[in-house]
Amino acid sequence: LEGADALGWVEAGDAEWSAEGNRQAFAALAVEADSECADGRYALEFALPTSDEVDESGAVAGGAWGPLRAAARLLVCGLELSTDAARLAAEREARERRGRLEEEVEPLRNELAEMEAKLDGLKEALSRAESRARSAVESVPALYRAQLEERALPEKEGGDLPSAAECSELLGRWRKDLEQRLDTPASQKDGAAEAGTSSGGGLPGQRRPAVVHRHCAKREFCPQVDQLGPRGRVVDLGFLEDDRTAEVLSWIMQRKLPTVVVETEEQSRACYQLQAKAVALSKQVPYMRQQVGGGAKRPRTDEERARKQLPMPSMATVPGQPKWAINEFQFLECNEDLRDTCFYRLISNCLLFENRESMELYRTHMAERRQVHGLLVCLEEGLKVTSDGIIDPRDTVDLFIEGNLKHGRPRLNFVFGSLPAGESEDCKQLAQACKLGARALEALGSRAEAKQALEAQQGAGAGGRRQELESRVKELEAELHGMDQEARQKQGRVPKKKKARR
């Protein structure tokens, strides 16, 4: 053995070990090479001391046993016996060649694995980005989502998803449209001033502000009433979209429009002390619907509230096809309960007709059924017919306004305004489309960045390097595989070894 002394003992490198300790710790077995030993691989082992050579303390007689015990187990040397020097040299050269090949192929495999892992990560990132973008686009309201889907890329480029540029262009249009809807044109306000009306200021984005002449109801609009924290005044709480309907119903309800709407009876009494008209919601009996087939009445359900109408009897097949005045009103979301209470009690069962002919058809129908009708309003002529059936041609909204203008007074002291643009359903939907469209744009932008990163990784540079690595690794592995096959074939031709002595 290399490094052995003349007696065949291997000196330990540790200073605490001595040649005597080696002699006492190990018993060397001679390896005899004679005619019975065939060429092949053998194992040279070092034996541990027998139990009778170890004292009670665990030490070998005459030397230290403990430190050498583990070392003895490791001292197993490979030994090959051969008389063919040329074969040994060839095998040594093959081993060295294999070592060089493995040293070359291993870093190439690692680089290729890193490249594959990075590529897989980019593909996964793109998949996540596409999923987020698809979810963001699907969250946009249907009307506006259809516009996005119309601009979707071809299937090979993204399927049902539009590009970030297309989404940005549409989002810009939506935002511009929303700004125009929320903006009250100055010409509209000027036109109101020329017509002799005075606006109370209105709400932001209100296309037709409510007409409020505060000096005509000083007590209801005094600062002391505002300090009570009322819900508002009737004229400010309800909205009517049609100008003519607003003018006619405002004329009919003119004296009630400045009424202060409060929550509690205490607030109502305080208004009474200030000589201001008020109505307490706590004392209002809400609308109750009669069950089909009789039975107990019930209030509006949540589904009926969501439709923002009272479930009044249908007038679709009634002669004259009137409309319920209460369902023509619109309210802010926080004031929808006023439809069931305050406003229902103010306007009750009032019906609206487009013209005099349709109103007369309805009156005939009710007379034939021996039923009394409620308040009827003809929008075209500005005429009202009460339940007593009296029609006064001199009591119309147009004549009333004409008299006011003749005496230099406003057309009407109070007129319902239109619902602020931001509160209308179509405008809310557009605002939601702008909000969700911005999220979709961000998601589509992230998707575009992920796709660009993947394409860059798959590009000519990375792609060429990847092909080069794959080709070289394939060549090296094929050569290693060939060497393994050759070694197995050689082993198959070697005669069966005899049991070696150790």
Side-chain angles (χ1 to χ4, degrees):
L1 296 180
E2 183 179 357
D5 58 10
L7 298 177
W9 299 103
V10 180
E11 298 290 342
D14 195 324
E16 296 181 358
W17 287 18
S18 64
E20 183 64 24
N22 284 342
R23 293 189 183 93
Q24 294 177 352
F26 300 102
L29 295 180
V31 179
E32 298 179 359
D34 53 26
S35 59
E36 296 182 358
C37 292
D39 290 359
R41 296 180 182 277
Y42 295 84
L44 178 62
E45 299 181 357
F46 292 84
L48 294 175
T50 58
S51 58
D52 57 349
E53 296 176 331
V54 182
D55 59 18
E56 296 180 355
S57 64
V60 180
W65 156 244
L68 301 177
R69 183 174 184 179
R73 295 176 180 174
L74 300 177
L75 292 177
V76 179
C77 303
L79 180 66
E80 180 157 350
L81 182 63
S82 176
T83 57
D84 189 349
R87 185 177 67 83
L88 292 178
E91 290 180 357
R92 184 182 302 108
E93 183 180 354
R95 286 195 298 270
E96 292 175 355
R97 171 63 178 165
R98 181 180 182 83
R100 289 194 297 271
L101 292 177
E102 290 178 346
E103 288 179 0
E104 181 181 358
V105 77
E106 189 61 27
L108 297 183
R109 286 172 176 167
N110 293 338
E111 184 179 352
L112 187 59
E114 291 177 2
M115 190 174 292
E116 291 287 349
K118 185 175 181 180
L119 192 62
D120 291 341
L122 291 174
K123 289 180 179 178
E124 185 178 353
L126 177 59
S127 177
R128 290 195 301 267
E130 286 185 345
S131 178
R132 287 193 297 268
R134 186 167 286 103
S135 298
V137 169
E138 290 175 354
S139 68
V140 176
L143 177 63
Y144 300 93
R145 183 174 67 248
Q147 299 180 27
L148 286 171
E149 292 174 349
E150 287 176 0
R151 303 192 175 201
L153 297 170
E155 185 67 28
K156 63 179 181 179
E157 298 183 20
D160 55 344
L161 293 176
S163 66
E166 295 284 1
C167 182
S168 178
E169 181 184 351
L170 279 177
L171 183 60
R173 292 183 183 179
W174 296 345
R175 286 173 172 169
K176 185 176 180 180
D177 187 13
L178 182 61
E179 290 175 1
Q180 291 175 348
R181 294 191 187 193
L182 295 179
D183 184 31
T184 303
S187 59
Q188 196 174 59
K189 296 181 180 179
D190 296 341
E194 292 174 2
T197 62
S198 174
S199 173
L203 297 174
Q206 196 167 17
R207 291 156 291 163
R208 177 171 44 78
V211 175
V212 178
H213 290 277
R214 293 174 178 267
H215 66 277
C216 298
K218 294 180 180 179
R219 295 184 180 89
E220 286 74 16
F221 288 92
C222 68
Q224 291 85 346
V225 171
D226 291 331
Q227 291 174 2
L228 298 174
R231 184 80 72 93
R233 283 77 178 176
V234 172
V235 68
D236 295 322
L237 295 173
F239 306 95
L240 289 166
E241 190 68 21
D242 182 68
D243 293 355
R244 182 61 173 176
T245 303
E247 194 170 54
V248 174
L249 290 180
S250 298
W251 165 65
I252 294 174
M253 303 171 62
Q254 192 67 193
R255 293 178 59 84
K256 302 176 182 179
L257 293 190
T259 302
V260 182
V261 180
V262 295
E263 300 289 346
T264 65
E265 183 62 23
E266 289 76 15
Q267 291 174 311
S268 179
R269 284 195 293 269
C271 290
Y272 183 82
Q273 294 296 326
L274 295 171
Q275 299 294 304
K277 290 182 289 187
V279 56
L281 294 177
S282 61
K283 290 295 185 72
Q284 290 278 301
V285 179
Y287 166 83
M288 302 289 284
R289 181 180 180 182
Q290 180 67 53
Q291 298 277 22
V292 178
K297 294 183 178 181
R298 64 167 180 81
R300 270 200 298 174
T301 63
D302 293 338
E303 183 179 352
E304 290 169 342
R305 287 179 181 275
R307 290 198 290 266
K308 299 184 178 180
Q309 287 189 343
L310 292 183
M312 306 293 283
S314 174
M315 292 292 177
T317 59
V318 176
Q321 296 184 340
K323 296 181 293 185
W324 293 104
I326 185 62
N327 285 337
E328 294 299 304
F329 278 96
Q330 296 175 307
F331 300 92
L332 298 180
E333 194 70 30
C334 58
N335 292 328
E336 179 60 28
D337 61 308
L338 297 179
R339 190 188 302 275
D340 303 75
T341 54
C342 175
F343 275 76
Y344 178 70
R345 299 304 166 189
L346 288 175
I347 202 65
S348 191
N349 293 324
C350 176
L351 291 173
L352 303 178
F353 297 86
E354 292 295 331
N355 49 53
R356 179 74 177 276
E357 290 76 15
S358 60
M359 185 174 68
E360 291 302 327
L361 285 174
Y362 178 76
R363 293 185 67 201
T364 302
H365 168 73
M366 295 299 287
E368 291 174 351
R369 299 184 62 180
R370 296 294 188 267
Q371 293 181 355
V372 179
H373 61 72
L375 177 62
L376 309 180
V377 176
C378 174
L379 297 176
E380 184 179 59
E381 299 184 17
L383 184 69
K384 63 180 178 180
V385 180
T386 57
S387 58
D388 55 20
I390 298 176
I391 301 177
D392 186 354
R394 294 171 298 176
D395 187 17
T396 66
V397 63
D398 298 319
L399 292 176
F400 184 82
I401 291 174
E402 183 180 344
N404 283 343
L405 295 178
K406 186 182 295 184
H407 292 86
R409 295 191 294 264
R411 291 169 59 88
L412 292 170
N413 292 334
F414 305 98
V415 180
F416 288 109
S418 63
L419 186 70
E423 295 295 327
S424 62
E425 288 302 319
D426 58 341
C427 200
K428 283 183 179 180
Q429 195 176 44
L430 178 56
Q432 187 182 22
C434 290
K435 179 180 178 180
L436 298 177
R439 295 180 184 176
L441 175 60
E442 182 180 357
L444 289 170
S446 299
R447 171 185 172 274
E449 292 176 0
K451 185 176 181 181
Q452 185 177 4
L454 178 60
E455 290 176 349
Q457 183 66 17
Q458 293 175 331
R465 176 58 179 166
R466 182 167 177 267
Q467 292 178 358
E468 179 183 347
L469 288 173
E470 289 177 344
S471 177
R472 183 55 181 161
V473 168
K474 187 176 180 180
E475 291 176 3
L476 294 173
E477 288 180 343
E479 189 170 352
L480 288 170
H481 181 67
M483 294 178 68
D484 291 340
Q485 283 187 331
E486 184 179 354
R488 284 194 293 270
Q489 291 173 358
K490 288 182 178 179
Q491 288 181 357
R493 292 194 298 268
V494 175
K496 186 176 180 179
K497 298 183 295 181
K498 295 183 180 180
K499 185 175 180 180
R501 289 185 300 164
R502 295 186 177 182

